[in-house]
Amino acid sequence: MNENTDKVKTAEKVEKPVINPSIQVTVSPHLSNTAFTTQKMMIDVLIALVPLLAVAIWVFKWHVVVQVGISVLSCLAFEALFTSWRLKKITLGDYSAAVTGVILGLSLPSSVPWYVAFIGSMAAIGLGKIAFGGLGYNIFNPAMVGRAFVLFAFPMALGAAAYQVAGGMEVLTQATPLTLAKQLGQSTPLWALLIGNTNGSLGETSAIACILGGIYLCIKRTASWEIPVSAIAALIVFAGIGNLTNTSAEWTVLHHLVGGAFLFGAFFIATDPVTSPLTPKGKVIFGIGFAAVVMLIRAFSGYPEGVMFAVLLMNAVTPLINKWTIPVPFGGPVPVRK
Amino acid sequence: MNRNEPTALERFINGILPENPVYRQLLGMCPTLAVTNSMEPAMTMAVAVAFVLLSANIIVSLIRHLLKPHLRILVFTLTIATFVTIADRILQAYMWDMSKQLGPYVPLIIVNCIIICRCEVCASKQKLGPAIMDALGQSLGFALALASVATVREILGSGTWFGLPVMPAVWPDWVIMVLPPGAFLTLGVLIGLVNWLQNKKKQTA
Amino acid sequence: MAEEEKTEQVDETPEKGGNYIAQAWLILLLAVCFGASLTGVQISLGEKIQQNKLNETFSQIPNLVPGSDTGKGFEIDGKIIYRAMSGDAQVGWVVPATGQGFADKVEILIGLDTKADKLTGLYVLDQKETPGLGNKIVEEDWQMQYVDKPTASQIEVIKAGSPTVNQIMAVTGATISSVAVTDLVNKTVAEIKDKLASNAK
């Protein structure tokens, strides 16, 4: 520390020309319209999540209220706690912690014990966000960091087998559609996948609800349309290749598209403005990469679903995509390729 | 000799916290991350490193006048490798299960930077007394660092400490803490904590 | 301070002489001393270490093959296999095998009767499967399922229901680890069954 400040001092003494940029870039989310604020964007996301919550409550009943309730409350509490530790102004008012909480809650199975949502929220806010410096500085989507943490911390409670619960609601006695397809080769009717009357993570089951909420987000420009559109197109291509090599498979391209968490991830998680690329070209690359990783994991790994890993992996390469796709400034110098 | 040179006792104390090999110098990360999923392997590793560090420091300090500068690293490595091999064989002979559990990380002590660092900065320039005290202090600091990481990981990850149950039976084991990611997370949080405490101390002083 | 010392000593060893042996006398001397001490360590401890390695397999032999009390190493196609002995009579075989699990290599010991007609036991020597899920393959209750399975047909893994004579139940939530172990058993037994039967004493 001291050495650095000393160096800075000596640098000033020799009066090197210090360039002070007159325009400074604040941290993302970058808003092109002044009517946008982080708070308004987050409220839009919450509105878009309403159809998912509604379907989830219809399918999983009170489980949803419990899981989402715990994760929202604990996300808000940890946000307040950790920001106060950092001696920063507590920023619950921008609702970003609430959005993280809802998405985390909706990405959990119905049966997990209460502490999973609680510890997941702690990891999401603490490791995923505050450790990087708060909203805008985080590299990874906080909700997915939280989910990854609890997936590895409690594999019994979140593994593919955990979704199946004997007794209780009928929908819970079946394995999830993707697990059925992967391990037993059984297909689930498209209609059930569309309306969401299947087992799965709380928010992912209904394709129609995901599309409704997603279109609202894109129209409001809260989510950039490039990511979901390119992801869906890419998934159709990759799954199509898979289908062509095995034409007798009952699990078709459409099943891949509307089953599992793909649409939920493509519209709500991958579009997080902080952790996705800035430029339209970058967003398209991001969407294609996201779909490719999802399909790779679904097809070749031990896990039935790969949306969480796909989001985290693509988050990790986002800075690189940003660097690749920086546009040439208008009228500015053309950057020289070395 | 420089008058500001620390005394032997100061060297010993320095190793524990002010110049802790793990928390202040960020050396020896490989065993710190790899064998701290519970206390038992962590402490075995700490003892093995202490043995190697002490022996290497003694030998290097004794022959410090004979060292040729351009061949000194070779001498250090030779000395360290010998004692690591001895430690490895002793473990295999008397603690077979532990040796299997530590796996390649015992032979990897050879490339543990703490040891070569102490040989270079201390033992090759100091008399036997300070070199021994330095080795003891650094070993103790390393053992404490391993113990702190292993304590967090074993209690959260298995609900036990040294294999003894310390958490209530309903405690859900955080499996991630005994897996490699748990090591990185725990070490990161602990280094942050140590830095925070250090800063606080500076501010109040 | 360090630099002063360096320059002094560099002067002592001029490059023009180029007598590397003379420069390296300390290293050569140390190497000889260390080599001698390591030889000493090896002589005094080597036997014990070898014994430890063998014990690991041998101590399991009575559990893997009922009625046996000791084992004898034996080589088929470059693979070490153990005869499970009761006194001087052979009562079965113990075959080590290594294969890919869910996370990493899985090392197992398979116990067979003398004619290699049925399995008498299974033991997992080493594994790195997911704690809490896959690593339940080390539990005795799960391994006991393999006892008395006939080797004439392949063993299958099922996830639900009640297992028939050549089926075993998967560890809940860890089908891949269970299948990995079972495949390893099937493959190893199929490869070596006939050779064992013909070599039985």
Side-chain angles (χ1 to χ4, degrees), chain C residues 111-194:
Chain C
L112 292 154
D113 67 353
T114 319
K115 290 179 184 159
D117 280 340
K118 62 181 175 99
L119 299 176
T120 54
L122 179 96
Y123 180 75
V124 177
L125 273 178
D126 198 17
Q127 53 82 30
K128 294 187 178 61
E129 304 300 280
T130 320
L133 288 174
N135 76 346
K136 288 197 178 154
I137 58 173
V138 301
E139 284 179 7
E140 206 182 329
D141 284 350
W142 187 77
Q143 295 174 356
M144 287 301 284
Q145 293 189 88
Y146 287 92
V147 175
D148 285 344
K149 295 287 180 222
T151 57
S153 54
Q154 301 256 304
I155 303 170
E156 282 170 21
V157 177
I158 58 167
K159 286 174 48 178
S162 49
T164 60
V165 69
N166 63 344
Q167 286 177 331
I168 60 145
M169 292 289 291
V171 175
T172 311
T175 318
I176 296 178
S177 300
S178 317
V179 171
V181 172
T182 309
D183 282 351
L184 186 56
V185 172
N186 284 334
K187 198 177 123 245
T188 314
V189 169
E191 265 175 22
I192 213 155
K193 200 171 91 176
D194 298 333

Side-chain angles (χ1 to χ4, degrees), chain A residues 1-2 85 115 119 122 127 148-149 152-155, chain B residues 170 172-177 179 181 185 189 196 202:
Chain A
M1 278 293 279
N2 285 332
W85 278 2
Y115 55 78
I119 292 169
M122 184 177 78
L127 295 174
F149 187 89
F152 291 114
F154 311 107
Chain B
V170 293
D173 292 345
W174 300 21
V175 176
I176 191 171
M177 298 311 279
L179 297 175
L185 295 175
V189 170
W196 181 69
K202 251 186 225 159

Side-chain angles (χ1 to χ4, degrees), chain A residues 26-32 37-38 41-42 135-137 272-274 278:
Chain A
T26 58
V27 296
S28 53
H30 299 290
L31 310 169
S32 51
T37 60
T38 307
M41 285 178 76
M42 293 302 166
L135 181 71
Y137 295 97
D272 173 4
V274 177
L278 302 167

Side-chain angles (χ1 to χ4, degrees), chain B residues 110-182:
Chain B
I110 293 174
V111 290
N112 190 324
C113 300
I114 296 172
I115 301 169
I116 208 155
C117 163
R118 295 334 290 180
C119 286
E120 168 76 11
V121 304
C122 177
S124 64
K125 302 194 176 89
Q126 301 296 334
K127 288 189 200 121
L128 193 56
I132 290 178
M133 289 309 268
D134 183 78
L136 290 176
Q138 293 287 331
S139 312
L140 193 58
F142 184 63
L144 287 175
L146 285 195
S148 58
V149 179
T151 302
V152 173
R153 289 182 69 193
E154 188 175 354
I155 290 180
L156 290 181
S158 323
T160 58
W161 197 69
F162 265 116
L164 303 169
V166 289
M167 293 304 243
V170 293
W171 175 254
D173 292 345
W174 300 21
V175 176
I176 191 171
M177 298 311 279
V178 299
L179 297 175

